[in-house]
PDB file of all heavy atoms in Angstrom:
ATOM      1  N   SER A  29     -12.790  18.882   4.520  1.00  0.00           N
ATOM      2  CA  SER A  29     -12.463  18.326   5.822  1.00  0.00           C
ATOM      3  C   SER A  29     -11.587  16.945   5.557  1.00  0.00           C
ATOM      4  O   SER A  29     -11.785  16.308   4.515  1.00  0.00           O
ATOM      5  CB  SER A  29     -13.806  17.916   6.498  1.00  0.00           C
ATOM      6  OG  SER A  29     -14.357  16.803   5.972  1.00  0.00           O
ATOM      7  N   VAL A  30     -10.874  16.644   6.610  1.00  0.00           N
ATOM      8  CA  VAL A  30     -10.135  15.336   6.546  1.00  0.00           C
ATOM      9  C   VAL A  30     -11.193  14.136   6.428  1.00  0.00           C
ATOM     10  O   VAL A  30     -10.878  13.242   5.675  1.00  0.00           O
ATOM     11  CB  VAL A  30      -9.307  15.292   7.810  1.00  0.00           C
ATOM     12  CG1 VAL A  30      -8.649  13.895   7.943  1.00  0.00           C
ATOM     13  CG2 VAL A  30      -8.234  16.233   7.812  1.00  0.00           C
ATOM     14  N   ARG A  31     -12.240  14.280   7.153  1.00  0.00           N
ATOM     15  CA  ARG A  31     -13.189  13.166   7.063  1.00  0.00           C
ATOM     16  C   ARG A  31     -13.593  12.905   5.539  1.00  0.00           C
ATOM     17  O   ARG A  31     -13.591  11.690   5.085  1.00  0.00           O
ATOM     18  CB  ARG A  31     -14.478  13.479   7.855  1.00  0.00           C
ATOM     19  CG  ARG A  31     -15.489  12.224   8.003  1.00  0.00           C
ATOM     20  CD  ARG A  31     -16.554  12.430   8.918  1.00  0.00           C
ATOM     21  NE  ARG A  31     -16.292  13.039  10.141  1.00  0.00           N
ATOM     22  CZ  ARG A  31     -15.942  12.389  11.191  1.00  0.00           C
ATOM     23  NH1 ARG A  31     -15.661  10.965  11.101  1.00  0.00           N
ATOM     24  NH2 ARG A  31     -15.742  12.964  12.352  1.00  0.00           N
ATOM     25  N   GLU A  32     -13.881  13.959   4.860  1.00  0.00           N
ATOM     26  CA  GLU A  32     -14.386  13.762   3.452  1.00  0.00           C
ATOM     27  C   GLU A  32     -13.181  13.185   2.704  1.00  0.00           C
ATOM     28  O   GLU A  32     -13.419  12.198   1.824  1.00  0.00           O
ATOM     29  CB  GLU A  32     -14.845  14.924   2.819  1.00  0.00           C
ATOM     30  CG  GLU A  32     -15.507  14.764   1.537  1.00  0.00           C
ATOM     31  CD  GLU A  32     -15.986  16.157   0.910  1.00  0.00           C
ATOM     32  OE1 GLU A  32     -15.884  17.213   1.550  1.00  0.00           O
ATOM     33  OE2 GLU A  32     -16.676  16.030  -0.074  1.00  0.00           O
ATOM     34  N   VAL A  33     -11.960  13.728   2.807  1.00  0.00           N
ATOM     35  CA  VAL A  33     -10.925  13.239   1.940  1.00  0.00           C
ATOM     36  C   VAL A  33     -10.478  11.872   2.167  1.00  0.00           C
ATOM     37  O   VAL A  33      -9.995  11.026   1.292  1.00  0.00           O
ATOM     38  CB  VAL A  33      -9.635  14.236   1.922  1.00  0.00           C
ATOM     39  CG1 VAL A  33      -8.825  13.962   3.183  1.00  0.00           C
ATOM     40  CG2 VAL A  33      -8.912  14.012   0.587  1.00  0.00           C
ATOM     41  N   CYS A  34     -10.750  11.345   3.353  1.00  0.00           N
ATOM     42  CA  CYS A  34     -10.339   9.971   3.747  1.00  0.00           C
ATOM     43  C   CYS A  34     -11.181   8.939   2.920  1.00  0.00           C
ATOM     44  O   CYS A  34     -10.626   7.822   2.620  1.00  0.00           O
ATOM     45  CB  CYS A  34     -10.607   9.724   5.265  1.00  0.00           C
ATOM     46  SG  CYS A  34      -9.278  10.346   6.331  1.00  0.00           S
ATOM     47  N   GLY A  35     -12.447   9.490   2.684  1.00  0.00           N
ATOM     48  CA  GLY A  35     -13.201   8.489   1.665  1.00  0.00           C
ATOM     49  C   GLY A  35     -12.824   8.524   0.302  1.00  0.00           C
ATOM     50  O   GLY A  35     -13.001   7.512  -0.501  1.00  0.00           O
ATOM     51  N   TYR A  36     -12.261   9.605  -0.085  1.00  0.00           N
ATOM     52  CA  TYR A  36     -11.818   9.641  -1.488  1.00  0.00           C
ATOM     53  C   TYR A  36     -10.422   9.138  -1.851  1.00  0.00           C
ATOM     54  O   TYR A  36     -10.081   8.603  -2.903  1.00  0.00           O
ATOM     55  CB  TYR A  36     -11.828  11.098  -2.011  1.00  0.00           C
ATOM     56  CG  TYR A  36     -13.112  11.944  -2.123  1.00  0.00           C
ATOM     57  CD1 TYR A  36     -13.265  13.098  -1.863  1.00  0.00           C
ATOM     58  CD2 TYR A  36     -14.370  11.199  -2.404  1.00  0.00           C
ATOM     59  CE1 TYR A  36     -14.536  13.741  -1.965  1.00  0.00           C
ATOM     60  CE2 TYR A  36     -15.518  11.677  -2.432  1.00  0.00           C
ATOM     61  CZ  TYR A  36     -15.699  13.023  -2.225  1.00  0.00           C
ATOM     62  OH  TYR A  36     -16.822  13.565  -2.365  1.00  0.00           O
ATOM     63  N   ALA A  37      -9.462   9.225  -0.782  1.00  0.00           N
ATOM     64  CA  ALA A  37      -8.135   8.647  -0.959  1.00  0.00           C
ATOM     65  C   ALA A  37      -7.573   8.147   0.212  1.00  0.00           C
ATOM     66  O   ALA A  37      -6.565   8.434   0.847  1.00  0.00           O
ATOM     67  CB  ALA A  37      -7.320   9.987  -1.412  1.00  0.00           C
ATOM     68  N   PRO A  38      -8.230   6.925   0.649  1.00  0.00           N
ATOM     69  CA  PRO A  38      -7.781   6.362   1.946  1.00  0.00           C
ATOM     70  C   PRO A  38      -6.418   5.850   2.086  1.00  0.00           C
ATOM     71  O   PRO A  38      -5.746   5.875   3.082  1.00  0.00           O
ATOM     72  CB  PRO A  38      -8.831   5.286   2.051  1.00  0.00           C
ATOM     73  CG  PRO A  38      -9.322   4.860   0.696  1.00  0.00           C
ATOM     74  CD  PRO A  38      -9.261   6.258   0.092  1.00  0.00           C
ATOM     75  N   ASN A  39      -5.808   5.575   0.937  1.00  0.00           N
ATOM     76  CA  ASN A  39      -4.275   5.034   0.878  1.00  0.00           C
ATOM     77  C   ASN A  39      -3.388   6.220   0.849  1.00  0.00           C
ATOM     78  O   ASN A  39      -2.184   6.020   1.062  1.00  0.00           O
ATOM     79  CB  ASN A  39      -4.118   4.085  -0.268  1.00  0.00           C
ATOM     80  CG  ASN A  39      -4.860   2.806  -0.234  1.00  0.00           C
ATOM     81  OD1 ASN A  39      -5.147   2.361   0.863  1.00  0.00           O
ATOM     82  ND2 ASN A  39      -5.307   2.420  -1.370  1.00  0.00           N
ATOM     83  N   ASN A  40      -3.838   7.438   0.587  1.00  0.00           N
ATOM     84  CA  ASN A  40      -2.863   8.549   0.424  1.00  0.00           C
ATOM     85  C   ASN A  40      -2.809   9.568   1.533  1.00  0.00           C
ATOM     86  O   ASN A  40      -1.852  10.188   1.804  1.00  0.00           O
ATOM     87  CB  ASN A  40      -3.324   9.381  -0.716  1.00  0.00           C
ATOM     88  CG  ASN A  40      -2.982   8.666  -2.120  1.00  0.00           C
ATOM     89  OD1 ASN A  40      -3.726   8.459  -2.945  1.00  0.00           O
ATOM     90  ND2 ASN A  40      -1.733   8.283  -2.326  1.00  0.00           N
ATOM     91  N   VAL A  41      -3.966   9.443   2.398  1.00  0.00           N
ATOM     92  CA  VAL A  41      -4.022  10.649   3.394  1.00  0.00           C
ATOM     93  C   VAL A  41      -4.033  10.136   4.902  1.00  0.00           C
ATOM     94  O   VAL A  41      -4.591  10.757   5.770  1.00  0.00           O
ATOM     95  CB  VAL A  41      -5.245  11.428   3.067  1.00  0.00           C
ATOM     96  CG1 VAL A  41      -5.225  12.063   1.790  1.00  0.00           C
ATOM     97  CG2 VAL A  41      -6.586  10.609   3.244  1.00  0.00           C
ATOM     98  N   ASN A  42      -3.245   8.963   5.120  1.00  0.00           N
ATOM     99  CA  ASN A  42      -3.107   8.607   6.602  1.00  0.00           C
ATOM    100  C   ASN A  42      -2.530   9.635   7.394  1.00  0.00           C
ATOM    101  O   ASN A  42      -2.786   9.714   8.556  1.00  0.00           O
ATOM    102  CB  ASN A  42      -2.367   7.387   6.600  1.00  0.00           C
ATOM    103  CG  ASN A  42      -3.188   6.057   6.204  1.00  0.00           C
ATOM    104  OD1 ASN A  42      -4.229   5.842   6.826  1.00  0.00           O
ATOM    105  ND2 ASN A  42      -2.719   5.424   5.190  1.00  0.00           N
ATOM    106  N   THR A  43      -1.652  10.431   6.919  1.00  0.00           N
ATOM    107  CA  THR A  43      -0.946  11.460   7.634  1.00  0.00           C
ATOM    108  C   THR A  43      -2.073  12.446   8.105  1.00  0.00           C
ATOM    109  O   THR A  43      -2.005  12.874   9.225  1.00  0.00           O
ATOM    110  CB  THR A  43       0.128  12.255   6.872  1.00  0.00           C
ATOM    111  OG1 THR A  43       1.051  11.301   6.375  1.00  0.00           O
ATOM    112  CG2 THR A  43       0.685  13.405   7.540  1.00  0.00           C
ATOM    113  N   MET A  44      -2.985  12.821   7.348  1.00  0.00           N
ATOM    114  CA  MET A  44      -4.117  13.775   7.737  1.00  0.00           C
ATOM    115  C   MET A  44      -4.913  13.100   8.775  1.00  0.00           C
ATOM    116  O   MET A  44      -5.318  13.854   9.778  1.00  0.00           O
ATOM    117  CB  MET A  44      -4.986  13.977   6.458  1.00  0.00           C
ATOM    118  CG  MET A  44      -4.205  14.821   5.451  1.00  0.00           C
ATOM    119  SD  MET A  44      -5.326  15.171   4.107  1.00  0.00           S
ATOM    120  CE  MET A  44      -4.341  16.189   2.995  1.00  0.00           C
ATOM    121  N   ALA A  45      -5.233  11.777   8.659  1.00  0.00           N
ATOM    122  CA  ALA A  45      -6.009  11.087   9.726  1.00  0.00           C
ATOM    123  C   ALA A  45      -5.294  11.161  11.155  1.00  0.00           C
ATOM    124  O   ALA A  45      -5.823  11.167  12.103  1.00  0.00           O
ATOM    125  CB  ALA A  45      -6.333   9.753   9.336  1.00  0.00           C
ATOM    126  N   VAL A  46      -3.881  10.930  11.047  1.00  0.00           N
ATOM    127  CA  VAL A  46      -3.222  10.922  12.266  1.00  0.00           C
ATOM    128  C   VAL A  46      -3.214  12.284  12.973  1.00  0.00           C
ATOM    129  O   VAL A  46      -3.513  12.324  14.253  1.00  0.00           O
ATOM    130  CB  VAL A  46      -1.630  10.587  12.060  1.00  0.00           C
ATOM    131  CG1 VAL A  46      -0.895  10.711  13.290  1.00  0.00           C
ATOM    132  CG2 VAL A  46      -1.486   9.259  11.490  1.00  0.00           C
ATOM    133  N   ALA A  47      -3.250  13.308  12.271  1.00  0.00           N
ATOM    134  CA  ALA A  47      -3.374  14.759  12.807  1.00  0.00           C
ATOM    135  C   ALA A  47      -4.628  14.854  13.406  1.00  0.00           C
ATOM    136  O   ALA A  47      -4.910  15.475  14.444  1.00  0.00           O
ATOM    137  CB  ALA A  47      -3.030  15.797  11.742  1.00  0.00           C
ATOM    138  N   ALA A  48      -5.763  14.362  12.665  1.00  0.00           N
ATOM    139  CA  ALA A  48      -7.047  14.507  13.255  1.00  0.00           C
ATOM    140  C   ALA A  48      -7.271  13.779  14.566  1.00  0.00           C
ATOM    141  O   ALA A  48      -8.012  14.170  15.425  1.00  0.00           O
ATOM    142  CB  ALA A  48      -8.107  13.982  12.152  1.00  0.00           C
ATOM    143  N   MET A  49      -6.702  12.556  14.585  1.00  0.00           N
ATOM    144  CA  MET A  49      -6.655  11.693  15.834  1.00  0.00           C
ATOM    145  C   MET A  49      -5.983  12.400  17.008  1.00  0.00           C
ATOM    146  O   MET A  49      -6.363  12.372  18.148  1.00  0.00           O
ATOM    147  CB  MET A  49      -6.046  10.453  15.588  1.00  0.00           C
ATOM    148  CG  MET A  49      -6.956   9.449  14.730  1.00  0.00           C
ATOM    149  SD  MET A  49      -8.472   8.815  15.588  1.00  0.00           S
ATOM    150  CE  MET A  49      -7.571   7.532  16.711  1.00  0.00           C
ATOM    151  N   ALA A  50      -4.857  13.078  16.631  1.00  0.00           N
ATOM    152  CA  ALA A  50      -3.911  13.720  17.690  1.00  0.00           C
ATOM    153  C   ALA A  50      -4.498  15.012  18.285  1.00  0.00           C
ATOM    154  O   ALA A  50      -4.180  15.530  19.309  1.00  0.00           O
ATOM    155  CB  ALA A  50      -2.552  13.977  17.056  1.00  0.00           C
ATOM    156  N   ALA A  51      -5.550  15.575  17.415  1.00  0.00           N
ATOM    157  CA  ALA A  51      -6.146  16.805  17.867  1.00  0.00           C
ATOM    158  C   ALA A  51      -7.645  16.546  18.089  1.00  0.00           C
ATOM    159  O   ALA A  51      -8.507  17.050  17.194  1.00  0.00           O
ATOM    160  CB  ALA A  51      -5.955  17.923  17.017  1.00  0.00           C
ATOM    161  N   PRO A  52      -8.142  15.650  18.951  1.00  0.00           N
ATOM    162  CA  PRO A  52      -9.578  15.155  18.941  1.00  0.00           C
ATOM    163  C   PRO A  52     -10.545  16.448  19.183  1.00  0.00           C
ATOM    164  O   PRO A  52     -11.740  16.185  18.817  1.00  0.00           O
ATOM    165  CB  PRO A  52      -9.493  14.278  20.184  1.00  0.00           C
ATOM    166  CG  PRO A  52      -8.349  14.570  21.031  1.00  0.00           C
ATOM    167  CD  PRO A  52      -7.325  15.172  20.028  1.00  0.00           C
ATOM    168  N   HIS A  53     -10.111  17.490  19.766  1.00  0.00           N
ATOM    169  CA  HIS A  53     -11.104  18.580  19.950  1.00  0.00           C
ATOM    170  C   HIS A  53     -11.397  19.273  18.513  1.00  0.00           C
ATOM    171  O   HIS A  53     -12.464  19.905  18.364  1.00  0.00           O
ATOM    172  CB  HIS A  53     -10.513  19.677  20.795  1.00  0.00           C
ATOM    173  CG  HIS A  53      -9.284  20.385  20.333  1.00  0.00           C
ATOM    174  ND1 HIS A  53      -8.053  19.680  20.150  1.00  0.00           N
ATOM    175  CD2 HIS A  53      -9.191  21.695  19.908  1.00  0.00           C
ATOM    176  CE1 HIS A  53      -7.168  20.514  19.731  1.00  0.00           C
ATOM    177  NE2 HIS A  53      -7.730  21.710  19.465  1.00  0.00           N
ATOM    178  N   LEU A  54     -10.575  19.057  17.487  1.00  0.00           N
ATOM    179  CA  LEU A  54     -10.797  19.447  16.261  1.00  0.00           C
ATOM    180  C   LEU A  54     -11.408  18.231  15.328  1.00  0.00           C
ATOM    181  O   LEU A  54     -12.342  18.462  14.695  1.00  0.00           O
ATOM    182  CB  LEU A  54      -9.511  19.929  15.543  1.00  0.00           C
ATOM    183  CG  LEU A  54      -8.969  21.218  16.108  1.00  0.00           C
ATOM    184  CD1 LEU A  54      -7.575  21.605  15.345  1.00  0.00           C
ATOM    185  CD2 LEU A  54      -9.991  22.343  15.985  1.00  0.00           C
ATOM    186  N   GLY A  55     -10.604  17.235  15.444  1.00  0.00           N
ATOM    187  CA  GLY A  55     -11.125  15.886  14.791  1.00  0.00           C
ATOM    188  C   GLY A  55     -11.239  15.957  13.320  1.00  0.00           C
ATOM    189  O   GLY A  55     -10.759  16.900  12.631  1.00  0.00           O
ATOM    190  N   PHE A  56     -11.771  15.045  12.752  1.00  0.00           N
ATOM    191  CA  PHE A  56     -11.879  14.818  11.297  1.00  0.00           C
ATOM    192  C   PHE A  56     -12.723  15.803  10.583  1.00  0.00           C
ATOM    193  O   PHE A  56     -12.575  16.150   9.508  1.00  0.00           O
ATOM    194  CB  PHE A  56     -12.372  13.389  10.960  1.00  0.00           C
ATOM    195  CG  PHE A  56     -11.405  12.233  11.238  1.00  0.00           C
ATOM    196  CD1 PHE A  56     -11.144  11.709  12.537  1.00  0.00           C
ATOM    197  CD2 PHE A  56     -10.720  11.719  10.223  1.00  0.00           C
ATOM    198  CE1 PHE A  56     -10.364  10.741  12.722  1.00  0.00           C
ATOM    199  CE2 PHE A  56      -9.726  10.754  10.416  1.00  0.00           C
ATOM    200  CZ  PHE A  56      -9.623  10.198  11.735  1.00  0.00           C
ATOM    201  N   ASP A  57     -13.610  16.410  11.193  1.00  0.00           N
ATOM    202  CA  ASP A  57     -14.494  17.529  10.649  1.00  0.00           C
ATOM    203  C   ASP A  57     -13.781  18.973  10.572  1.00  0.00           C
ATOM    204  O   ASP A  57     -14.216  19.674   9.744  1.00  0.00           O
ATOM    205  CB  ASP A  57     -15.762  17.499  11.301  1.00  0.00           C
ATOM    206  CG  ASP A  57     -16.674  16.203  11.129  1.00  0.00           C
ATOM    207  OD1 ASP A  57     -16.765  15.841   9.871  1.00  0.00           O
ATOM    208  OD2 ASP A  57     -17.181  15.725  12.030  1.00  0.00           O
ATOM    209  N   GLN A  58     -13.028  19.209  11.563  1.00  0.00           N
ATOM    210  CA  GLN A  58     -12.485  20.588  11.668  1.00  0.00           C
ATOM    211  C   GLN A  58     -11.086  20.675  11.236  1.00  0.00           C
ATOM    212  O   GLN A  58     -10.684  21.802  11.008  1.00  0.00           O
ATOM    213  CB  GLN A  58     -12.807  21.037  13.109  1.00  0.00           C
ATOM    214  CG  GLN A  58     -14.058  21.316  13.486  1.00  0.00           C
ATOM    215  CD  GLN A  58     -14.212  21.865  14.889  1.00  0.00           C
ATOM    216  OE1 GLN A  58     -13.845  22.978  15.160  1.00  0.00           O
ATOM    217  NE2 GLN A  58     -15.077  21.229  15.766  1.00  0.00           N
ATOM    218  N   VAL A  59     -10.277  19.566  11.097  1.00  0.00           N
ATOM    219  CA  VAL A  59      -9.039  19.781  10.530  1.00  0.00           C
ATOM    220  C   VAL A  59      -9.182  19.802   9.091  1.00  0.00           C
ATOM    221  O   VAL A  59      -9.875  18.968   8.364  1.00  0.00           O
ATOM    222  CB  VAL A  59      -8.074  18.522  10.813  1.00  0.00           C
ATOM    223  CG1 VAL A  59      -6.826  18.621  10.119  1.00  0.00           C
ATOM    224  CG2 VAL A  59      -7.863  18.423  12.382  1.00  0.00           C
ATOM    225  N   GLU A  60      -8.579  20.933   8.396  1.00  0.00           N
ATOM    226  CA  GLU A  60      -8.837  21.141   6.965  1.00  0.00           C
ATOM    227  C   GLU A  60      -7.881  20.343   6.210  1.00  0.00           C
ATOM    228  O   GLU A  60      -6.595  20.303   6.483  1.00  0.00           O
ATOM    229  CB  GLU A  60      -8.874  22.723   6.609  1.00  0.00           C
ATOM    230  CG  GLU A  60      -9.882  23.398   7.319  1.00  0.00           C
ATOM    231  CD  GLU A  60      -9.875  24.884   6.916  1.00  0.00           C
ATOM    232  OE1 GLU A  60      -9.163  25.405   6.027  1.00  0.00           O
ATOM    233  OE2 GLU A  60     -10.576  25.754   7.709  1.00  0.00           O
ATOM    234  N   ALA A  61      -8.186  19.861   5.053  1.00  0.00           N
ATOM    235  CA  ALA A  61      -7.382  19.177   4.153  1.00  0.00           C
ATOM    236  C   ALA A  61      -7.311  19.703   2.749  1.00  0.00           C
ATOM    237  O   ALA A  61      -8.364  20.194   2.170  1.00  0.00           O
ATOM    238  CB  ALA A  61      -7.870  17.684   4.038  1.00  0.00           C
TER     239      ALA A  61
END
């Protein structure tokens, strides 16, 4: 999940976090990374 990878590589995966924010019905748990 994007939520998990944000904890491992916060400086590298901002693009993934933006996508999770832009699709709140999926969010950080359901957008796959």
Side-chain angles (χ1 to χ4, degrees):
S29 72
V30 170
R31 190 179 306 281
E32 186 177 7
V33 79
C34 282
Y36 292 150
N39 293 325
N40 288 123
V41 298
N42 281 304
T43 299
M44 295 181 176
V46 173
M49 289 285 287
H53 65 293
L54 297 176
F56 285 82
D57 290 313
Q58 294 186 57
V59 175
E60 297 182 13

